[in-house]
Amino acid sequence: MARNKIALIGAGMIGGTLAHLAASKEMGDVVLFDIAEGMPAGKALDLAQAAPVDGFDSNLKGTGDYADIAGADVIIVTAGVPRKPGMSRDDLLGINLKVMKAVGDGIKEHAPDAFVICITNPLDAMVWALREFSGLPHNKVVGMAGVLDSARFRHFLAEEFNVSVEDVTAFVLGGHGDTMVPVPAYSTIAGIPIPDLIKMGWTTQENIDAIVKRTRGGGGEIVALLGNGSAYYAPATSAIMMAESYLKDKRRVLPAAAHLTGQYGVDDLYVGVPVIIGKDGVEKVIEIELSDEAQGNFNVSVDAVKELLEACKGLDSSL
Ligand code: TXD
């Protein structure tokens, strides 16, 4: 049986971490594509030399030629420019929209059957644009943000309750930005919803409110600490989980930026919602009933995504 092929468009901090994870988990052969001269080949060679030590078999190739992504089963896109301190995700819009055009054209020509996971910011707008430029079916193009945002929420909750992260589930909806909507009512410690834990006196509403706020600003907190670039370990780990659910047809229920066609009252927009990812890509969008407060926050988040899309359409008349 032929190995799977995973193509990484963008071989920077997240791209390199993705390559390391995909190869060391033996998910398949890995192609690192980047416009930077030499760098993707250097990372591929470095990782290939880790293989004999760690004991994994994966062919790794660095390239600047889209022809090398031909036949990819999964493509993960991080190409673009990351946030610098003080820069909002939206500042990235103009630069990264042009990058999505080039990437979309490359995918359309060389790997139209792939499952594509977009990570590039501003996420909800970039995944929409990438889908448009690539022309792939909507169920085969998805955005990664929700797994990361809910992982951040889970980490903070595990610290608050002093329990294993494994026993914390968390629910985050909406766009990947300051308007994202962490939903405590659907977040649990071993199945016990957060509001019940507050009633049990295990924590306070104030503490949960502070955690929700910290989750919303989770990306910015790391940007400020790093001083140069944005988070990469957790974003890469999150995208790998989505890729595995597709490749192994695991049908995991994950929050992801998916194309909505009326669900949650939203049409033709990519927004973070719970989905099932299996062999056909996004196989189902799960529509849950939200409290008035959560729905209100979700609507604010959707409006922020809509605004970004309008800006994209203003920048590129083909959209
Ligand atoms: O949750 C999420 N979705 C995110 C998103 C969490 C963290 C970071 N997020 C975004 O991911 C971030 O704002 C960026 O837009 C991407 C990638 O972040 P990374 O930290 O990996 O950025 P790097 O290290 O700058 O890598 C980007 C690479 C770099 O090597 C460039 O040379 C390359 O992209 N690049 C290109 N590759 C291919 N084709 C084109 N046109 C191109 N332009 C730049």
Side-chain angles (χ1 to χ4, degrees):
M1 204 168 63
R3 279 189 208 154
N4 286 321
K5 179 167 172 177
I6 295 129
L8 309 171
I9 314 292
M13 297 309 288
I14 300 179
T17 311
L18 285 167
H20 194 190
L21 288 169
S24 62
K25 284 169 168 271
E26 295 193 327
M27 285 170 65
D29 292 334
V30 176
V31 174
L32 282 147
F33 175 100
D34 205 288
I35 49 164
E37 192 93 356
M39 181 270 277
K43 287 200 179 181
L45 187 58
D46 188 10
L47 284 167
Q49 292 166 357
V53 183
D54 209 14
F56 55 84
D57 285 297
S58 167
N59 291 325
L60 289 128
K61 178 172 185 159
T63 185
D65 181 355
Y66 272 109
D68 287 322
I69 73 167
D73 299 285
V74 170
I75 297 177
I76 307 180
V77 179
T78 59
V81 179
R83 273 200 291 171
K84 306 244 159 41
M87 197 177 175
S88 82
R89 290 184 177 94
D90 305 357
D91 294 337
L92 299 175
L93 195 69
I95 307 170
N96 287 352
L97 189 61
K98 287 205 182 80
V99 175
M100 289 307 105
K101 169 86 178 117
V103 176
D105 288 348
I107 293 174
K108 184 187 231 165
E109 189 176 346
H110 298 283
D113 296 323
F115 177 56
V116 179
I117 302 170
C118 181
I119 301 186
T120 302
N121 270 330
L123 192 266
D124 307 275
M126 290 304 103
V127 63
W128 185 89
L130 181 62
R131 206 305 306 171
E132 292 290 315
F133 292 134
S134 69
L136 265 58
H138 287 98
N139 58 311
K140 298 295 283 294
V141 182
V142 70
M144 190 297 292
V147 175
L148 171 66
D149 295 331
S150 62
R152 287 177 172 153
F153 197 18
R154 286 171 68 191
H155 163 67
F156 298 141
L157 289 170
E159 270 192 341
E160 168 67 14
F161 290 98
N162 193 19
V163 295
S164 164
V165 285
E166 286 190 66
D167 296 322
V168 184
T169 64
F171 203 94
V172 175
L173 282 170
H176 180 56
D178 308 334
T179 59
M180 76 175 80
V181 190
V183 187
Y186 285 124
S187 304
T188 76
I189 306 294
I192 310 166
I194 301 295
D196 290 15
L197 292 159
I198 296 173
K199 275 190 219 139
M200 287 156 63
W202 201 345
T203 185
T204 60
Q205 187 63 50
E206 293 68 46
N207 287 5
I208 296 300
D209 290 346
I211 287 174
V212 164
K213 189 161 175 249
R214 192 170 175 200
T215 302
R216 284 207 179 111
E221 184 177 355
I222 292 177
V223 167
L225 287 168
L226 292 179
N228 179 20
S230 49
Y232 48 97
Y233 293 119
T237 310
S238 301
I240 288 289
M241 181 199 256
M242 294 169 71
E244 279 189 312
S245 190
Y246 171 76
L247 289 172
K248 298 180 183 170
D249 191 22
K250 283 173 73 92
R251 298 181 56 78
R252 294 218 46 187
V253 180
L254 301 170
H259 186 250
L260 300 185
T261 51
Q263 302 92 335
Y264 295 93
V266 177
D267 193 32
D268 191 25
L269 224 57
Y270 271 82
V271 190
V273 290
V275 300
I276 295 177
I277 296 180
K279 64 176 183 337
D280 295 321
V282 175
E283 298 191 2
K284 186 179 168 63
V285 169
I286 300 170
E287 206 174 353
I288 55 160
E289 202 165 310
L290 296 175
S291 68
D292 289 348
E293 192 195 352
Q295 183 69 50
N297 291 338
F298 183 75
N299 294 344
V300 170
S301 191
V302 167
D303 285 345
V305 176
K306 271 189 195 153
E307 219 172 280
L308 277 178
L309 271 199
E310 286 314 311
C312 285
K313 288 176 184 170
L315 289 164
D316 187 317
S317 56
S318 72
L319 288 173

